[in-house]
């Protein structure tokens, strides 16, 4: 399989042009076509000589994965299921709201964190995505927009634990923030994590002011370990201390993601415990009513229960918002579309060839 051209850094692309006997400015022209110009194949790069276009097509790929599913919701949320060269499936989402165009991208095939309410981890972790596979999601979603619209925000909250694949994620984010990439400000990029303390500190040391979203989901250790099994070896205090360090180093307020599971972690006592944890911190809570997945035994909370949870947090002076459900009429839950496709493939394999 030929490599994706954007797996080369700008400096490496300049070097490649030099090795081919090309003027170095060609590297900038190629970058222009990949990112702001949204080329979908090398033949569209008509500002380049025909021979160079042929050379690029013989040496690199641009969008090699296959779109095996493309769902569009009534609210114009779009979800892609991409099949990679090894048959692995990953999801990515484009969300539209007023003047914002936000995408959600994945960093792993599956997830190894084991959160009991998340469809992404039901099939386990298969592997990390490469930098190119992460970037291809961005490029494909960007190309769903009309010419007069641009991506405004990126959230790394799709399949997988982003900080477990920081080695491949950071170069991808560098391309998104670069002037010769998408030119996004770091503050328009949010990286989610279940809470890996040393990786949180590593992200803080990059010098970028990315937003950090910590998936907390419970206000005390025993319940969090039931919902987020990796908490057993980490602990809430270690996660909060790392998040405090992130704020101290970057100056960026940390968001705490909290999936509300009806009757499990959405009681008034849980809200009070969470309020005590965060009242002295520069923090924001993002409440996420459970997005139903038929394979999981959890239900979304009632609206009054959610409202009471919000009111209690606000009484502690903790800023809180309730995330709007996007793409409710499609397989919107993270990992849900991939899981459905994998199950279909498994049924076909079990059935075997038909006479």
């Amino acid at each position: 399989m030929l490599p994706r051209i954007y797996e080369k850094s700008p400096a490496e692309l300049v070097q490649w042009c030099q090795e081919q006997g090309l003027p170095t400015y060609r590297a900038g022209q190629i970058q222009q076509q990949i990112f702001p110009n949204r080329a979908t194949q090398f033949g569209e790069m008509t500002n380049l000589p025909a021979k160079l276009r042929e050379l690029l097509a013989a040496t690199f790929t641009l969008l090699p994965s296959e779109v095996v599913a493309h769902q569009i919701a009534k609210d114009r949320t779009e979800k892609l299921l991409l099949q990679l060269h090894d048959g692995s499936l990953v999801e990515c989402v484009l969300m539209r709201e007023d003047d914002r165009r936000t995408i959600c991208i994945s960093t792993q095939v599956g997830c190894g964190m084991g959160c009991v309410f998340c469809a992404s981890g039901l099939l386990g972790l298969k592997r990390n995505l490469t930098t190119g596979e992460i970037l291809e999601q961005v490029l494909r979603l960007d190309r769903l927009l009309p010419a007069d619209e641009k991506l405004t925000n990126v959230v790394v909250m799709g399949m997988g634990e982003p900080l477990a694949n920081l080695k491949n994620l950071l170069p991808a984010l560098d391309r998104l923030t670069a002037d010769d990439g998408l030119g996004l400000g770091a503050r328009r990029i949010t990286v989610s994590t279940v809470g890996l303390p040393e990786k949180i500190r590593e992200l803080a040391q990059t010098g970028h002011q990315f937003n950090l979203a910590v998936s907390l989901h419970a206000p005390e250790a025993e319940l969090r370990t039931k919902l987020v099994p990796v908490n057993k070896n980490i602990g809430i205090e270690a996660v909060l201390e790392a998040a405090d360090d992130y704020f101290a180093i970057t100056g960026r307020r940390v968001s705490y993601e909290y999936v509300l599971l009806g009757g499990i972690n959405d009681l008034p006592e849980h809200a009070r415990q969470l309020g005590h944890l965060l009242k002295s911190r520069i923090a924001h809570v993002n409440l996420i009513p459970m997005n139903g997945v038929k394979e999981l035994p959890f239900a979304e909370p009632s609206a009054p229960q959610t409202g009471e949870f919000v009111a209690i947090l606000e009484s502690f002076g903790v800023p809180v918002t309730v995330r709007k459900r996007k793409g409710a009429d499609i397989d919107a839950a993270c990992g849900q579309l991939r899981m459905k496709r994998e199950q279909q493939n498994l049924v076909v394999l079990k059935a075997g060839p038909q006479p």
Side-chain angles (χ1 to χ4, degrees), residues 298-309:
F298 302 107
E300 64 181 283
S302 67
Q305 192 84 352
T306 299
E308 184 178 10
F309 203 99

Side-chain angles (χ1 to χ4, degrees), residues 81-345:
L81 182 66
L82 305 179
Q83 183 169 295
L84 307 177
H85 69 282
D86 61 353
S88 297
L89 299 171
V90 293
E91 299 175 357
C92 52
V93 182
L94 167 65
M95 294 165 282
R96 297 174 167 89
E97 187 170 0
D98 298 330
D99 59 347
R100 294 165 67 96
R101 299 294 179 266
T102 301
I103 61 171
C104 181
I105 58 174
S106 299
T107 53
Q108 296 180 310
V109 180
C111 185
M113 297 297 105
C115 298
V116 299
F117 51 82
C118 180
S120 292
L122 287 176
L123 301 175
L125 173 66
K126 186 171 182 180
R127 66 174 176 86
N128 285 333
L129 295 181
T130 67
T131 296
E133 289 168 340
I134 294 170
L135 279 171
E136 184 179 351
Q137 297 171 68
V138 178
L139 298 181
R140 284 193 173 275
L141 293 170
D142 187 41
R143 281 149 178 74
L144 297 179
L145 294 174
D148 61 344
E149 293 183 8
K150 294 182 179 180
L151 295 180
T152 62
N153 299 79
V154 175
V155 291
V156 190
M157 294 184 181
M159 291 167 41
E161 164 54 52
L163 297 193
N165 191 18
L166 203 52
K167 177 183 177 182
N168 292 331
L169 174 61
L170 286 178
L173 297 185
D174 284 341
R175 301 305 297 278
L176 301 187
T177 57
D179 290 338
D180 56 0
L182 285 186
L184 285 174
R187 295 184 179 192
R188 291 187 173 272
I189 297 174
T190 299
V191 179
S192 177
T193 177
V194 75
L196 305 182
E198 293 312 309
K199 291 296 183 179
I200 289 174
R201 294 184 175 96
E202 184 179 340
L203 181 65
Q205 296 291 347
T206 63
H208 292 294
Q209 288 191 315
F210 300 125
N211 298 307
L212 178 69
V214 176
S215 297
L216 199 59
H217 308 314
E220 51 88 13
E222 183 178 356
L223 179 57
R224 188 169 196 259
T225 298
K226 289 179 180 178
L227 300 179
V228 185
V230 295
N231 185 70
K232 181 179 180 180
N233 299 320
I234 299 173
I236 288 181
E237 286 305 319
V239 173
L240 293 175
E241 288 172 6
D244 291 343
D245 289 344
Y246 191 88
F247 171 73
I249 294 169
T250 66
R252 300 299 292 159
R253 179 181 71 172
V254 176
S255 291
Y256 290 90
E257 308 284 306
Y258 196 104
V259 171
L260 288 170
L261 306 169
I264 295 176
N265 67 349
D266 65 336
L267 303 178
E269 65 194 72
H270 299 131
R272 286 189 286 271
Q273 289 173 321
L274 186 59
H276 281 293
L277 274 184
L278 301 180
K279 65 180 181 180
S280 61
R281 293 180 158 90
I282 306 298
H284 173 265
V285 174
N286 192 4
L287 293 178
I288 309 165
M290 175 67 184
N291 198 342
V293 177
K294 68 179 182 179
E295 291 82 3
L296 297 173
F298 302 107
E300 64 181 283
S302 67
Q305 192 84 352
T306 299
E308 184 178 10
F309 203 99
V310 169
I312 293 172
L313 284 179
E314 290 179 338
S315 73
F316 281 87
V318 177
V320 56
T321 55
V322 179
R323 181 182 295 177
K324 294 180 181 178
R325 291 188 65 183
K326 303 291 289 183
D329 54 322
I330 59 176
D331 297 303
C334 183
Q336 191 173 2
L337 184 55
R338 169 183 175 253
M339 183 172 61
K340 180 182 289 187
R341 184 75 178 205
E342 294 280 16
Q343 289 172 337
Q344 290 172 347
N345 291 343

